[in-house]
Amino acid sequence: MSVLFLYLGFDELLRLHEKIGRMIEASFDTGGIFYYAWVIPYGIALLILGLIIVKPFLKLPFRFQKKFFLSGFIFVAGAVGLEMLSGWYIDFNQIPNEKINTTLAIVAFYTTEETLEMIGLSYFIVSLLKLKETYPITAKSI
């Protein structure tokens, strides 16, 4: 998970998802909910990651499964869900690139998207700290 968060941090800093999206847009005709084409490979990666972590996830106590699932759901709803919704809105309303950042609805989408990402990440951190507090790791348990 730490490698994933490290990648996501670099992705946000270097805008890797936007570069990947532009490469996909150059190869395929994307639009509607795939206006931001990066959601396609990242969605596939998310499904693969879900399959990889399902076994250790199910070993967690149920109350932490709920907390981690909810935090992930909130994060993904913002990062992918609202990105797809705003892409659809831009495409449907034929908003030109130079007006995207000044369109009130798009600003609201972006603000809500970033807020959900931060809420999901914050809730994950709080849940992780609560897990560590409840089940401390000792030299004996390693």
Side-chain angles (χ1 to χ4, degrees), residues 66-121:
K66 289 190 303 187
K67 290 175 184 292
F68 290 159
F69 180 83
L70 181 59
S71 66
F73 180 82
I74 292 168
F75 182 88
V76 171
V80 179
L82 279 175
E83 192 86 355
M84 292 173 79
L85 189 58
S86 66
W88 171 83
Y89 184 87
I90 291 166
D91 195 37
F92 182 79
N93 292 293
Q94 298 297 303
I95 300 171
N97 284 341
E98 62 274 2
K99 292 194 176 189
I100 287 176
N101 291 329
T102 59
T103 302
L104 183 60
I106 300 304
V107 172
F109 279 129
Y110 287 162
T111 302
T112 306
E113 171 194 332
E114 295 297 330
T115 301
L116 287 174
E117 288 177 17
M118 292 301 104
I119 290 170
L121 184 58

Side-chain angles (χ1 to χ4, degrees), residues 14-110:
L14 302 173
R15 306 178 101 176
L16 297 175
H17 62 284
E18 292 176 11
K19 293 173 185 171
I20 291 168
R22 281 194 292 275
M23 290 187 316
I24 293 169
E25 290 166 5
S27 302
F28 302 98
D29 182 27
T30 59
I33 62 171
F34 299 117
Y35 179 84
Y36 294 111
W38 68 263
V39 301
I40 299 167
Y42 278 57
I44 293 167
L46 179 64
L47 291 173
I48 293 168
L49 178 66
L51 292 173
I52 292 170
I53 67 168
V54 73
K55 191 173 181 179
F57 177 80
L58 293 174
K59 290 181 181 179
L60 291 169
F62 185 68
R63 72 182 195 160
F64 290 103
Q65 288 177 8
K66 289 190 303 187
K67 290 175 184 292
F68 290 159
F69 180 83
L70 181 59
S71 66
F73 180 82
I74 292 168
F75 182 88
V76 171
V80 179
L82 279 175
E83 192 86 355
M84 292 173 79
L85 189 58
S86 66
W88 171 83
Y89 184 87
I90 291 166
D91 195 37
F92 182 79
N93 292 293
Q94 298 297 303
I95 300 171
N97 284 341
E98 62 274 2
K99 292 194 176 189
I100 287 176
N101 291 329
T102 59
T103 302
L104 183 60
I106 300 304
V107 172
F109 279 129
Y110 287 162

